[in-house]
Amino acid sequence: MVKVPELFGSMVFDDATMKERLPKETYKALKKTIKEGAPLDINVANIVANAMKDWAIEKGATHYTHWFQPMTGITAEKHDSFINPTDDGKVIMEFSGKELIKGEPDASSFPSGGIRATFEARGYTAWDPTSYAFVKNETLCIPTAFCSYTGEALDKKTPLLRSMERISDEAIRILRVLGDNETARVVTTVGPEQEYFLIDEELYNKRKDLIYTGRTLFGAKAPKGQEMEDHYFGSIKPRVIAYMQDLDEELWKLGIYSKTRHNEVAPAQHEMAPIFTTTNLATDHNQLTMEVMKRVAHKHGLVCLLHEKPFAGVNGSGKHNNWSLSTNTGRNLLKPGKDPIRNTEFLIFLAAIMKGVYEYQDLLRVSVASAGNDHRLGANEAPPAIISMFIGDDLEAVVNAIIEGKSVVNNEAGNMDLGVGVLPDFKKDTTDRNRTSPFAFTGNKFEFRSLGSSLNIACPNIMLNTIVAEELSQFADKLEPVEDKQSAVKALIRETFKEYKDIVFNGDNYSDEWVAEAERRGLLNLRSMPVAMPYFVAEKNVKLFTKHNVHTRREMFSRYEIQQEEYGKVINIEALTMIEMARRDIFPAVSAYVQKLVEACNAKKALSASIPCDAELAVIEKLSKLLCCFYNKIEVLEEKVNAAKGIKDVAERALFYGEEVFNAMNELRAVGDEMEVSTAAGYWPYPSYGELLYGVR
Ligand code: ADP
Ligand code: MG
């Protein structure tokens, strides 16, 4: 029997552990650093480092690492042991304040998009004391930010921390305008729901496509997909529940608030949702969660797939980024309360978000763009590539009433005064009906639903925080100098709703009508990553990020380049994998089967001329034709891949991969899948979709 409260955070150097292990003065100094960002004295750091090391050794650690999030989207670590030689030929275990605070990994092999030329390989990692250190794999992990020596961010954490500071400062300005003189800080909170697939490891090992690319590149549909809708929330199979239990325990040890587990829509698909926390921690925790998910799966003879679209024909995996704003006293600023029309605080933040989402649709789209996620957006399983915002009918009625200058709301029951208690308290059930919207208000938070399952959530949250900070700052600039603040705030809310309401859409985002309607409204529809990415470096966006010191111009262009480059690489690997599978496995397998059929015909004829061979001949003819076609498509794909390599311009190359190479891949796959259904199972070189999707019991 696990005792969860004791297990929880047992591998984390958390506040309780610090309090217990550090001298009072040291603890106080460290807390000051954590709370206010005050620089940490080296003497204090030495004491903290030593206590951390002693604690980590008790937890089985022999090494430490600065744990960081380079722009590859994964987390990076380089382990150093605690050993230090002594005169008598032995070692002692040591860890200094200097080693805790700063690390110097060889940065040259991490993508930097030209910020740091490889001859100037030095970058450094700096301890982020706002995220607790923890022990995993016998290693003390210290969450850090990763920067170049010129101070430019080489990671995802640094801009995230900057954006959190910005939105806090601007939100405080607004709260002051509204007469709140108490709140000292505003934090953004995030709860990321994580989807994943679980498949059998033995089957996985037989599929080159899964091994090299994380998704299947060939595979005919199984007779059964997700059409029966019997998997979502269905009872969980024994092997899966054993995995989930183990996963929860491992996550709890790391202080991750894993809360909800259930089956998802597609067969073999599942979800884990944690309780929300501050964005910085939620990001670190989500990165850890993805890693632990994979590790625990291996222990159970399973593989956890985090790719956005591992299987064609059934839903892929996403991540829902639930996002809100909270004061340091714990007040949720996005809680409408019982009387939203008179809840000025809620309305002004809603207005800022509405304006932000409208003006920076492109950035929100860019923040979820990737080769993997392109398979999902707009494919009727995830929100479309068009960014809009869902606020629900009740809240829309409030917004409309404000626009029309009324204090009553028109709803189904006719005109109703918006007195206390008339409208339902905005519970989930009145706002959570729409599952198709990219950005949905769900009672007291917004749920950004367009994220892909493997994405580092730092990116969308950097965007959200920065765009809302910008709108709040514009509001504050307007409101601060005004005498009659109450009227000015009201007018501003009304004007903003009026001007930006076009971003609100409560209908079915999967419908063709919406695509047409969105076009009429002038909303962007950026269908793929290479089409969306150039918007990131549009002048208005460079202005936004540099104004708020979240990114420098150089950082932005480097990120732009890295992402475009990475996109091309992903598709290139997929294409090469397909070519190898096609030439070396599928072609020979089908050819061998055809030969077997020919032999069967010949044997029959030798026996007696009257035995019919029509069936074999039909299959021989069909597969032979398909093989010719298959061969031609391999050649075409190869040509396209070679052509792509020759394109110098990174944006042009990404576009070519996304269109020409990608189309050639789809065409090759179609022929391969058609051959699969006509080829004897024993000849087919890979486990089928049926085996992969229904193999775990
Ligand atoms: P679903 O959207 O699947 O119905 P839930 O309503 O259970 O799921 O919540 C989804 C996520 O939203 C959870 O991770 C939860 O902790 C998170 N969440 C709830 N309140 C907030 C908030 N104020 N800020 C950020 N996330 C929140
Ligand atoms: Mg959700």
Side-chain angles (χ1 to χ4, degrees):
M1 218 6 222
V2 264
K3 292 197 174 134
V4 180
E6 272 127 81
L7 195 70
F8 190 84
S10 58
M11 300 305 254
V12 184
F13 196 72
D14 56 14
D15 194 58
T17 315
M18 288 180 200
K19 212 174 201 162
E20 183 195 314
R21 301 240 173 188
L22 296 173
K24 234 192 191 128
E25 285 310 304
T26 314
Y27 173 76
K28 265 210 225 131
L30 182 57
K31 282 299 271 191
K32 205 171 152 67
T33 298
I34 293 173
K35 271 210 170 119
E36 297 160 23
L40 200 63
D41 183 78
I42 187 68
N43 296 318
V44 177
N46 276 329
I47 300 171
V48 176
N50 196 51
M52 239 187 217
K53 175 211 66 187
D54 288 342
W55 168 84
I57 289 173
E58 284 169 32
K59 299 288 174 191
T62 52
H63 289 69
Y64 72 92
T65 183
H66 278 200
W67 186 78
F68 60 103
Q69 298 170 31
M71 290 186 281
T72 49
I74 53 150
T75 47
E77 42 193 78
K78 172 189 132 220
H79 297 183
D80 281 300
S81 71
F82 291 122
I83 64 164
N84 222 346
T86 54
D87 291 341
D88 56 356
K90 303 255 183 230
V91 294
I92 49 167
M93 302 295 261
E94 278 186 348
F95 185 47
S96 70
K98 203 170 139 250
E99 288 167 314
L100 167 65
I101 290 178
K102 196 165 164 183
E104 300 194 25
D106 176 359
S108 59
S109 300
F110 293 106
S112 69
I115 279 192
R116 189 205 51 245
T118 31
F119 60 83
E120 214 266 274
R122 290 194 310 165
Y124 67 94
T125 49
W127 180 32
D128 165 22
T130 61
S131 181
Y132 299 131
F134 55 91
V135 169
K136 77 170 167 77
N137 301 338
E138 285 83 46
T139 303
L140 168 65
C141 300
I142 298 146
T144 53
F146 182 37
C147 298
S148 78
Y149 262 85
T150 46
E152 268 148 334
L154 295 172
D155 68 350
K156 307 217 176 205
K157 174 173 274 218
T158 310
L160 180 66
L161 293 173
R162 291 173 184 159
S163 75
M164 287 172 72
E165 247 170 64
R166 289 307 304 130
I167 195 169
S168 176
D169 291 352
E170 299 301 344
I172 293 288
R173 285 178 69 194
I174 293 295
L175 292 179
R176 295 288 182 267
V177 166
L178 299 179
D180 170 348
N181 292 315
E182 312 269 284
T183 302
R185 242 170 352 111
V186 168
V187 291
T188 52
T189 51
V190 166
E193 302 162 59
Q194 176 74 50
E195 292 179 348
Y196 61 98
F197 278 85
L198 277 184
I199 60 165
D200 190 89
E201 192 166 28
E202 264 181 50
L203 299 177
Y204 169 91
N205 285 333
K206 292 181 182 151
R207 299 237 17 162
K208 290 177 187 167
D209 45 6
L210 287 175
I211 292 173
Y212 293 138
T213 73
R215 74 177 181 103
T216 52
L217 300 169
F218 289 102
K221 281 194 186 90
K224 182 181 176 197
Q226 63 192 43
E227 61 277 67
M228 299 301 291
E229 295 168 351
D230 54 353
H231 194 254
Y232 188 57
F233 282 15
S235 77
I236 304 171
K237 291 177 185 135
R239 247 181 112 186
V240 176
I241 197 78
Y243 166 81
M244 287 177 164
Q245 184 63 28
D246 207 2
L247 173 66
D248 275 344
E249 286 173 25
E250 290 304 315
L251 294 175
W252 290 335
K253 281 188 205 166
L254 290 167
I256 297 168
Y257 303 104
S258 179
K259 171 85 174 165
T260 309
R261 57 192 192 193
H262 60 80
N263 285 348
E264 259 301 328
V265 172
Q269 192 186 29
H270 314 282
E271 179 181 299
M272 186 289 278
I275 299 171
F276 71 95
T277 179
T278 59
T279 309
N280 178 31
L281 265 186
T283 305
D284 284 359
H285 282 175
N286 184 251
Q287 289 296 108
L288 265 178
T289 297
M290 292 192 282
E291 184 188 327
V292 174
M293 278 180 163
K294 290 187 174 167
R295 193 173 69 225
V296 173
H298 180 61
K299 260 173 63 187
H300 291 254
L302 299 166
V303 174
C304 170
L305 302 176
L306 290 173
H307 193 283
E308 282 76 13
K309 192 73 182 175
F311 302 100
V314 295
N315 279 7
S317 298
K319 186 139 59 187
H320 291 172
N321 189 84
N322 295 275
W323 176 91
S324 191
L325 290 158
S326 166
T327 65
N328 59 316
T329 50
R331 189 165 82 248
N332 183 348
L333 296 174
L334 296 187
K335 194 174 165 181
K338 283 200 162 57
D339 193 15
I341 204 163
R342 279 181 260 282
N343 186 346
T344 315
E345 185 179 271
F346 167 72
L347 291 173
I348 197 164
F349 281 98
L350 178 68
I353 293 168
M354 192 184 286
K355 180 165 186 279
V357 175
Y358 187 97
E359 289 181 330
Y360 298 100
Q361 300 156 46
D362 50 353
L363 285 180
L364 291 177
R365 171 66 185 90
V366 164
S367 78
V368 298
S370 72
N373 212 23
D374 276 359
H375 296 285
R376 297 175 61 246
L377 300 181
N380 286 359
E381 58 170 81
I386 307 160
I387 297 290
S388 68
M389 148 177 188
F390 167 88
I391 57 175
D393 296 339
D394 293 337
L395 198 50
E396 190 176 28
V398 170
V399 168
N400 286 338
I402 290 171
I403 291 174
E404 288 158 24
K406 296 185 199 152
S407 59
V408 295
V409 165
N410 292 314
N411 64 9
E412 286 155 16
N415 274 3
M416 276 209 297
D417 182 35
L418 271 173
V420 179
V422 173
L423 271 179
D425 195 358
F426 278 74
K427 294 246 168 55
K428 264 186 75 128
D429 48 336
T430 73
T431 54
D432 200 23
R433 289 184 224 117
N434 191 319
R435 312 293 291 181
T436 65
S437 171
F439 195 69
F441 185 68
T442 49
N444 60 2
K445 59 184 159 59
F446 276 94
E447 186 170 349
F448 190 13
R449 295 198 177 115
S450 310
L451 286 71
S453 47
S454 68
L455 190 73
N456 181 322
I457 62 168
C459 201
N461 286 298
I462 292 167
M463 307 287 190
L464 276 173
N465 294 348
T466 312
I467 66 185
V468 177
E470 167 59 21
E471 306 303 350
L472 293 173
S473 115
Q474 287 182 22
F475 285 3
D477 288 347
K478 266 197 193 147
L479 296 170
E480 276 165 352
V482 180
E483 275 293 321
D484 179 2
K485 295 221 174 0
Q486 227 183 355
S487 323
V489 168
K490 269 199 179 143
L492 180 66
I493 291 171
R494 187 175 170 200
E495 269 165 40
T496 310
F497 283 162
K498 215 167 160 175
E499 201 167 339
Y500 299 99
K501 222 206 111 193
D502 264 358
I503 198 70
V504 173
F505 179 62
N506 286 342
D508 179 4
N509 281 255
Y510 294 177
S511 67
D512 295 335
E513 292 79 54
W514 170 232
V515 177
E517 166 67 16
E519 197 177 335
R520 266 195 301 279
R521 292 190 195 181
L523 303 182
L524 291 169
N525 185 1
L526 307 175
R527 287 167 205 280
S528 71
M529 142 91 206
V531 172
M533 207 56 214
Y535 285 80
F536 179 59
V537 286
E539 206 43 44
K540 82 173 204 323
N541 295 332
V542 175
K543 240 175 155 167
L544 170 78
F545 285 112
T546 51
K547 171 181 170 189
H548 292 280
N549 294 319
V550 171
H551 286 305
T552 65
R553 178 180 284 267
R554 232 153 70 100
E555 277 173 25
M556 289 186 72
F557 277 88
S558 85
R559 263 152 229 260
Y560 164 75
E561 213 178 279
I562 287 170
Q563 288 233 42
Q564 293 275 43
E565 188 83 52
E566 186 190 282
Y567 176 86
K569 284 182 191 165
V570 168
I571 298 195
N572 191 54
I573 293 170
E574 290 182 346
L576 295 181
T577 305
M578 276 192 106
I579 293 169
E580 169 163 334
M581 291 170 78
R583 278 203 203 288
R584 302 188 58 194
D585 300 335
I586 297 176
F587 190 100
V590 176
S591 175
Y593 178 53
V594 169
Q595 192 190 335
K596 188 77 188 169
L597 291 173
V598 172
E599 283 166 16
C601 288
N602 289 339
K604 281 187 193 178
K605 275 185 199 141
L607 213 57
S608 149
S610 66
I611 305 176
C613 292
D614 304 359
E616 285 87 347
L617 286 173
V619 180
I620 290 167
E621 190 178 343
K622 180 175 185 193
L623 283 176
S624 300
K625 278 186 184 155
L626 285 170
L627 262 184
C628 287
C629 181
F630 193 60
Y631 178 80
N632 290 334
K633 305 255 181 222
I634 302 173
E635 297 283 298
V636 172
L637 179 56
E638 202 154 49
E639 272 166 37
K640 298 283 181 195
V641 170
N642 287 333
K645 274 191 210 137
I647 302 172
K648 290 275 170 303
D649 181 74
V650 63
E652 228 178 275
R653 192 164 62 236
L655 271 173
F656 190 87
Y657 271 114
E659 281 159 22
E660 302 280 327
V661 178
F662 190 70
N663 288 341
M665 285 166 61
N666 286 340
E667 287 192 15
L668 177 63
R669 176 182 182 143
V671 185
D673 292 356
E674 209 181 329
M675 294 199 300
E676 182 179 343
V677 293
S678 295
T679 302
Y683 279 77
W684 197 254
Y686 306 115
S688 68
Y689 262 36
E691 290 170 284
L692 290 167
L693 288 169
Y694 296 95
V696 179
R697 271 176 279 269

